[in-house]
Amino acid sequence: MINFPATRVLCYALLALAGCHTHVAPQMRPAPAVPQLPVTPRTAIEPDVSAVPTDPAPPLTRPAEYRRLTAAECRRYAAAAAPFADDLDRHPENESPAHAKLMKKAAKTAEASRVVRGYAADELRNRAAGDALGEFFKLAEAEGQFDLLTEAGAELRAQLADAEKAERAGLKDRADTPAIRRKLLDIEAQQAKLEGGIGALNAGLRARLNLAANDPLSLWPADSLRVNPDDVDVAQALATGSHYRPDLNALRALANGVADELTDAVLTGINPLLAKLKSDNPLALLFLPFTKEPARQQASQRAAGALAARERQAEAEIRAAAATLRGYRAAVAARTLDVRAVEAKVAELEKRKAAGVNVTADLAAAKLDLVKAKGDLLTSVIEWHTTEVKLRQAMGLLVRE
């Protein structure tokens, strides 16, 4: 007969000799008290700029040398550097067995993995190329707007010099130097913001294109920025997108019943609740061989449902991009007419000035209007190009070009 109290005492003694300690349950900590903030009256919110230097600074300038980058190179480098795309292409499950004829099931699974993961890799590349091209055209707009602001700043500095000269001559009523200085400071502030944005776009593009991050030369977006005058053939665009879009082709392969495990993995990426919930009942494993085929059919049905939804989404994206593209092209046409009209006005005023007519104020205002009109035109052209990139991405072409 075992003496339980004696045995328990012996165990405690052995634990004490071994240097062990019994587990003590942690004490429940009280909930932290809710902080009580002090009451304060409403006060004026004013920025403290006392530490910001306000001494006149020389005009901002951009570098003279750059790394030339075309839109085609941007697309190609971004697709090649797309994160995880190469990993999907080199996935271990893509490898066929050494004896494919003897291991037909394993060979079929490897082929399915190669197809589905290949389309998934192309989808990553297509998306990466679209994001990089979006930044490419933003950089083109920022550099172009910087130059236009520089042109406007030069015109304002000339006006400021004339106004200060008029003041010294006692013609203060003809010179509004404070207004000119405010305009000049506003241009300098816009250029400073553009310079910061250009630096951020350079850093982002270098990362997306796998370029050297420590290169001192900035990127120069070399592109003609040509706007295509033709409307998009929506029917043809839809057919092309249905044929080339990698995400649609991956779901089509899964809907054909290539592999239910791959289907679950892809559907989990869309929404975890779309995937099949695996049972934790050990008895279910006994019937697994008899439920394999129904499970594969169910996986195919779920993939087909996801494919139908994604096809509707793809059609909507293509139609929206085509319609937006048409609207932006109309905006480009209107901005172009505006630039031509202001150019004609500037040319007319310059002729009158050469003929001895005093049109200095009107000519200066017209030149600033021309700079603004060119900036608006550039913005519309960039909007057209970024939308055109979205259309090509929605059609799955960025990874195929």
Side-chain angles (χ1 to χ4, degrees), residues 88-155:
L88 287 172
D89 282 335
R90 295 192 297 260
H91 197 277
E93 293 184 5
N94 296 350
E95 297 293 332
S96 297
H99 303 285
K101 293 183 178 180
L102 297 178
M103 306 176 68
K104 294 182 179 180
K105 184 177 179 181
K108 184 178 180 181
T109 301
E111 177 62 22
S113 173
R114 194 159 47 248
V115 170
V116 174
R117 286 189 168 91
Y119 284 132
D122 282 349
E123 172 62 16
L124 292 177
R125 295 184 179 105
N126 191 58
R127 195 177 308 163
D131 293 341
L133 283 172
E135 291 190 354
F136 174 89
F137 286 112
K138 286 180 182 178
L139 179 60
E141 180 182 13
E143 291 284 9
Q145 295 289 6
F146 189 98
D147 289 343
L148 289 172
L149 287 173
T150 299
E151 183 179 342
E155 179 60 33

Side-chain angles (χ1 to χ4, degrees), residues 241-277:
S242 177
H243 180 74
Y244 284 115
R245 270 185 69 131
D247 56 338
L248 299 183
N249 287 328
L251 288 172
R252 288 191 185 103
L254 294 173
N256 290 333
V258 292
D260 53 334
E261 293 181 358
L262 274 176
T263 303
D264 282 338
V266 173
L267 294 180
T268 300
I270 298 174
N271 189 307
L273 296 179
L274 290 175
K276 177 185 176 183
L277 297 178

Side-chain angles (χ1 to χ4, degrees), residues 30 44 47 67 116 118 143 196 202 207 257 322 329 339 375:
R67 297 289 184 190
V116 174
E143 291 284 9
N202 270 269
R329 193 184 68 245
V339 169

Side-chain angles (χ1 to χ4, degrees), residues 3 15 42 46 121 123 127 141 181 191 197 220 273 276 281 284 309 313 316-317 330 357 394:
N3 189 338
L15 289 172
R42 184 179 181 85
E46 297 179 351
E123 172 62 16
R127 195 177 308 163
E141 180 182 13
R181 287 196 181 99
Q191 283 188 308
W220 184 256
L273 296 179
K276 177 185 176 183
N281 187 349
Q313 179 184 348
E317 291 173 357
V357 181

Side-chain angles (χ1 to χ4, degrees), residues 42-342:
R42 184 179 181 85
T43 58
I45 297 178
E46 297 179 351
D48 181 3
V49 295
S50 58
V52 179
T54 56
D55 297 332
L60 292 174
T61 58
R62 296 294 297 145
E65 292 184 339
Y66 295 82
R67 297 289 184 190
R68 183 176 181 272
L69 177 68
T70 66
E73 290 170 339
C74 179
R75 181 203 61 78
R76 186 168 66 251
Y77 294 154
F84 311 117
D86 290 342
D87 296 328
L88 287 172
D89 282 335
R90 295 192 297 260
H91 197 277
E93 293 184 5
N94 296 350
E95 297 293 332
S96 297
H99 303 285
K101 293 183 178 180
L102 297 178
M103 306 176 68
K104 294 182 179 180
K105 184 177 179 181
K108 184 178 180 181
T109 301
E111 177 62 22
S113 173
R114 194 159 47 248
V115 170
V116 174
R117 286 189 168 91
Y119 284 132
D122 282 349
E123 172 62 16
L124 292 177
R125 295 184 179 105
N126 191 58
R127 195 177 308 163
D131 293 341
L133 283 172
E135 291 190 354
F136 174 89
F137 286 112
K138 286 180 182 178
L139 179 60
E141 180 182 13
E143 291 284 9
Q145 295 289 6
F146 189 98
D147 289 343
L148 289 172
L149 287 173
T150 299
E151 183 179 342
E155 179 60 33
L156 284 172
R157 286 186 180 86
Q159 293 182 29
L160 182 60
D162 292 340
E164 291 173 343
K165 183 179 178 181
E167 282 187 353
R168 289 191 296 268
L171 303 174
K172 189 175 181 179
D173 57 327
R174 297 186 182 181
D176 191 359
T177 54
I180 297 175
R181 287 196 181 99
R182 284 196 301 271
K183 291 179 181 179
L184 193 55
L185 289 173
D186 181 60
I187 284 179
E188 291 174 354
Q190 292 182 55
Q191 283 188 308
K193 290 175 65 175
L194 280 175
E195 191 171 43
I198 288 170
L201 288 169
N202 270 269
L205 275 173
R206 290 185 187 282
R208 292 184 185 278
L209 308 185
N210 195 26
L211 301 176
N214 58 351
D215 191 339
L217 295 182
S218 298
L219 300 174
W220 184 256
D223 193 89
S224 63
L225 299 181
R226 182 180 184 274
V227 176
N228 193 334
D230 301 326
D231 284 333
V232 176
D233 187 333
V234 178
Q236 182 62 40
L238 290 172
T240 302
S242 177
H243 180 74
Y244 284 115
R245 270 185 69 131
D247 56 338
L248 299 183
N249 287 328
L251 288 172
R252 288 191 185 103
L254 294 173
N256 290 333
V258 292
D260 53 334
E261 293 181 358
L262 274 176
T263 303
D264 282 338
V266 173
L267 294 180
T268 300
I270 298 174
N271 189 307
L273 296 179
L274 290 175
K276 177 185 176 183
L277 297 178
K278 296 182 179 180
S279 175
D280 57 357
N281 187 349
L283 294 177
L285 298 176
L286 298 176
F287 300 96
L288 187 60
F290 304 100
T291 60
K292 196 70 174 178
E293 191 59 32
R296 184 175 287 108
Q297 293 176 358
Q298 293 175 4
S300 299
Q301 293 173 357
R302 292 196 303 274
L307 172 61
R310 188 60 64 84
E311 284 176 335
R312 291 192 297 270
Q313 179 184 348
E315 179 178 354
E317 291 173 357
I318 292 172
R319 289 186 181 278
T324 306
L325 204 61
R326 186 164 54 250
Y328 281 144
R329 193 184 68 245
V332 168
R335 297 296 186 189
T336 302
L337 292 175
D338 186 28
V339 169
R340 292 174 181 173
V342 181

